[in-house]
Amino acid sequence: MKKEFAVIGLGRFGGSIVRELMSQGAQVMAIDHSSERVDEFASIATQAVIADSTDESVLNSLGIRNFEHVIVAIGENIQASILTTIILKEIGVQQITVKAQNDYHEKVLRKIGADFVVHPERDMGIRIANNMLSNTVLDYLELSDEHSIMELKANDSIAGYSIMDLDIRAKYGINIVGLKRGADIIVSPQASDKILLGDIMLVIGADVDINRFVKKALNG
């Protein structure tokens, strides 16, 4: 069966989620209070509905609790974002992802039970900055305020060495959890596996440790 999602808020962030979920074959209900935005997604989403997400009776009438995952992508209205999240929790939605405007907003969302909180603008800014600062950093995913997963491109500095030779875990406190080599992906590589020039390393750890590795081992 296709996974079913509901996306509340059809601005740039919410709209992009709707489009991507649909392209991946999911079923998506797109919800917004703006008739113009709903009209825009009427031919894109499985179903597009004009609704006030801060009204519990309205959400109940939409059968919102039957969706596996609800994404609250409300823009500037922090109060509506919080109220919507509270209602979704009370209704019993299994998974709730909410877009946060700032750190205070995130704290409130976590206290009221949001399962996942995202900062799309901040996270994209960090990703772009990392890519501009180093040609070895290909992508970045924040796991928490202090920990991340990064895709790092192996260069001449480390190519030809095994993971054991580099002793990355002991020296930097980070782990290589995967290697991309062309079309192949090596999951949980062995200590004896050699890193080849152009390999993409999937590295997990504290931001300060990953940055130290990038500066000393890759850009040193």
Side-chain angles (χ1 to χ4, degrees), residues 5 30 34 60 117 173 179 193:
F5 297 85
S34 165
N60 276 319
V117 179
L179 287 173
D193 287 341

Side-chain angles (χ1 to χ4, degrees), residues 8-9 31-33 37 51-56 59 70-89 96-101 105 108-109 112:
I8 301 173
I31 303 169
D32 200 287
H33 62 81
R37 286 180 177 173
D52 176 5
S53 63
T54 64
D55 187 327
E56 184 173 351
L59 291 182
V70 178
I71 298 94
V72 181
I74 294 171
E76 299 299 320
N77 193 334
I78 290 178
Q79 181 175 325
S81 167
I82 292 169
L83 286 174
T84 299
T85 305
I86 291 172
I87 293 169
L88 293 173
K89 286 299 292 184
I96 305 168
T97 292
V98 192
K99 173 187 175 181
Q101 297 297 327
H105 187 195
V108 174
L109 291 170
I112 61 178

Side-chain angles (χ1 to χ4, degrees), residues 8 14 26 30 33 61 82 94 120 144 149 156-157 173 182 184 186 217:
I8 301 173
H33 62 81
S61 70
I82 292 169
Q94 294 176 36
S144 69
I149 294 177
D156 293 324
S157 302
D184 297 325
I186 303 168

Side-chain angles (χ1 to χ4, degrees), residues 52-215:
D52 176 5
S53 63
T54 64
D55 187 327
E56 184 173 351
S57 63
V58 170
L59 291 182
N60 276 319
S61 70
L62 294 175
I64 204 79
R65 70 172 300 171
N66 298 320
F67 288 85
E68 298 171 55
H69 199 145
V70 178
I71 298 94
V72 181
I74 294 171
E76 299 299 320
N77 193 334
I78 290 178
Q79 181 175 325
S81 167
I82 292 169
L83 286 174
T84 299
T85 305
I86 291 172
I87 293 169
L88 293 173
K89 286 299 292 184
E90 290 179 345
I91 288 174
V93 173
Q94 294 176 36
Q95 287 190 313
I96 305 168
T97 292
V98 192
K99 173 187 175 181
Q101 297 297 327
N102 51 50
D103 291 340
Y104 175 73
H105 187 195
E106 177 179 1
K107 285 181 181 178
V108 174
L109 291 170
R110 293 198 182 280
K111 282 184 181 295
I112 61 178
D115 299 291
F116 306 99
V117 179
V118 295
H119 295 260
E121 290 88 357
R122 184 190 70 184
D123 292 348
M124 184 55 70
I126 293 171
R127 181 176 288 118
I128 291 169
N130 273 292
N131 291 348
M132 288 190 296
L133 286 170
S134 173
N135 57 12
T136 60
V137 179
L138 301 181
D139 205 354
Y140 166 96
L141 175 65
E142 184 182 69
L143 298 176
S144 69
D145 288 342
E146 298 179 353
H147 292 80
S148 304
I149 294 177
M150 282 193 193
E151 285 187 351
L152 307 175
K153 190 173 184 179
N155 57 16
D156 293 324
S157 302
I158 64 172
Y161 292 97
S162 70
I163 294 174
M164 184 188 302
D165 293 334
L166 295 169
D167 206 14
I168 289 173
R169 186 171 185 177
K171 288 181 179 177
Y172 301 99
I174 62 178
N175 289 288
I176 298 176
V177 294
L179 287 173
K180 292 182 184 177
R181 186 169 293 159
D184 297 325
I185 298 177
I186 303 168
V187 179
S188 298
Q190 302 297 310
S192 57
D193 287 341
K194 284 192 175 182
I195 295 172
L196 306 182
L197 184 65
D199 278 356
I200 297 172
M201 302 173 290
L202 192 61
V203 175
I204 187 170
D207 294 340
V208 291
D209 294 330
I210 297 176
N211 290 332
R212 194 158 49 90
F213 172 65
V214 170
K215 288 176 183 177

